Amino acid sequence: MFSLRGFHFSMSAVADTWVSITCGLFQGSFGADVTHERVTECLEDAHRRLGCRSSGAVVRGLRVELVKYARKGRLGDVLYMWNFPGMLQVPKEVKHDVGSIQLTCKTIPFNHKVSVFVFNNGKIKLCGKMIDPAQAATALQVDLKDHDQVHDAMQAYLDQVKECACHVIGATPNKPTFDPGIIHGQFAFGFHIQGIHELSMYADRQARDLFSFVRGQEPEIRARAFAIQLFLKDNEKMHLSFDHKGKVQLFNTKGYHDMRKCWLVFVDLISRALESDVINLTEL
């Protein structure tokens, strides 16, 4: 067990601390000049499909592995599906009832799965696996302690995925950058948190300057783990979720700066709770 004296957090020191964050899903959409006819034409061109390259150094290209044509108003109702190899030959009767075209791709390198949805109103949705900060920093040879550069490296991944996707389908986007709607991530605190239920009540009563809303799930039968959800004060969509094991999940962030902010807010809460003898920390 750690005493407060031996485990006191200094916010100035934490600001320079590297925490290993791993990322999950990213999602977002944008407008572009494109039609379903243009998408089909480009997919039929193997040189365009296989020769997709970006202008950046993080993502070199996208490898298209599956194409689905979905019915208008029914995203799950597949009219036509094409997986490689083989020729893309969309039946004429299908073309008139298509609401969206979905491409399932893999990034080169990293082999991250990315889905591209092209709707008949010209809107394009991108979702898939987000690059981890360490991967992005390594790809651009960025110092992990330079948080601005790490943030820019992760944004470069999104921008280059968008660039490759637009090249594959022959779309001209309304702007080159990609604004993610959400990015999910997680980090490991590295310690067991004893007194997690008390921490939930403490956050609700004593840390309202950090959080607008605190939700704690009541313990259930068979000693199910108690989890806390903390919604940040200045952005209620962005929130953290964790239990006594110190595995912290991040929801609805939009970049590395948001993830770092979640880390700092989490550490601030832990520091205050330790000072108030609300919790204790033990090694894993």
Side-chain angles (χ1 to χ4, degrees):
M1 186 177 297
F2 290 82
S3 67
L4 175 61
R5 179 177 298 177
F7 201 76
H8 178 70
F9 285 99
S10 167
M11 291 307 295
S12 60
V14 169
D16 295 326
T17 300
W18 163 252
V19 55
S20 180
I21 297 173
T22 58
C23 294
L25 174 74
F26 80 85
Q27 180 177 299
S29 59
F30 59 94
D33 181 11
V34 66
T35 64
H36 284 170
E37 291 76 12
R38 175 61 174 162
V39 173
T40 301
E41 177 187 343
C42 290
L43 289 173
E44 289 174 341
D45 183 349
H47 292 291
R48 172 182 287 271
R49 190 178 68 246
L50 301 176
C52 168
R53 293 291 183 270
S54 79
S55 59
V58 182
V59 178
R60 294 196 302 273
L62 286 180
R63 182 175 64 253
V64 183
E65 298 187 339
L66 181 66
V67 178
K68 294 180 181 179
Y69 287 71
R71 190 183 302 275
K72 292 178 182 178
R74 300 180 183 179
L75 191 61
D77 188 355
V78 178
L79 295 169
Y80 177 79
M81 184 168 62
W82 175 44
N83 53 6
F84 304 89
M87 296 295 292
L88 177 66
Q89 295 179 332
V90 184
K92 291 182 179 180
E93 61 272 17
V94 167
K95 294 180 180 180
H96 300 293
D97 202 20
V98 174
S100 65
I101 301 175
Q102 176 187 350
L103 288 71
T104 300
C105 313
K106 293 289 182 66
T107 64
I108 304 170
F110 310 118
N111 208 37
H112 289 171
K113 181 179 178 180
V114 173
S115 294
V116 184
F117 297 85
V118 186
F119 298 96
N120 55 16
N121 61 358
K123 183 178 179 180
I124 300 175
K125 175 182 175 182
L126 293 181
C127 62
K129 175 70 172 68
M130 182 64 189
I131 193 171
D132 293 339
Q135 286 180 313
T138 300
L140 292 185
Q141 299 181 339
V142 170
D143 186 346
L144 289 174
K145 293 182 180 179
D146 190 328
H147 305 308
D148 288 337
Q149 288 194 26
V150 174
H151 177 89
D152 291 344
M154 293 180 69
Q155 182 61 47
Y157 170 83
L158 294 172
D159 292 343
Q160 289 162 31
V161 166
K162 176 181 177 179
E163 180 185 359
C164 289
C166 288
H167 177 82
V168 169
I169 62 177
T172 303
N174 50 16
K175 61 179 182 178
T177 58
F178 179 74
D179 298 322
I182 59 171
I183 301 176
H184 297 328
Q186 64 179 7
F187 61 80
F189 181 45
F191 300 93
H192 279 290
I193 304 171
Q194 295 186 347
I196 194 75
H197 184 273
E198 290 75 14
L199 180 60
S200 176
M201 293 187 290
Y202 178 83
D204 186 44
R205 297 169 184 172
Q206 304 297 327
R208 297 311 292 267
D209 59 314
L210 300 177
F211 310 107
S212 61
F213 181 68
V214 177
R215 178 185 294 144
Q217 301 171 349
E218 291 298 333
E220 298 180 8
I221 300 174
R222 298 181 183 177
R224 185 173 178 176
F226 182 91
I228 301 176
Q229 288 183 318
L230 304 172
F231 294 77
L232 271 66
K233 182 71 174 180
D234 58 351
N235 186 340
E236 293 186 0
K237 291 184 178 180
M238 192 162 61
H239 63 279
L240 328 174
S241 179
F242 61 94
D243 60 14
H244 66 286
K245 296 181 181 179
K247 301 288 186 180
V248 184
Q249 294 180 300
L250 313 178
F251 298 94
N252 295 333
T253 63
K254 293 189 176 183
Y256 183 64
H257 287 321
D258 282 352
M259 295 178 176
R260 281 285 306 172
K261 181 176 183 179
C262 289
W263 160 247
L264 294 174
V265 168
F266 172 79
V267 170
D268 193 357
L269 174 64
I270 295 297
S271 179
R272 294 186 195 184
L274 281 169
E275 290 177 349
S276 301
D277 294 325
V278 173
I279 61 171
N280 286 307
L281 303 177
T282 58
E283 291 181 306
L284 295 175

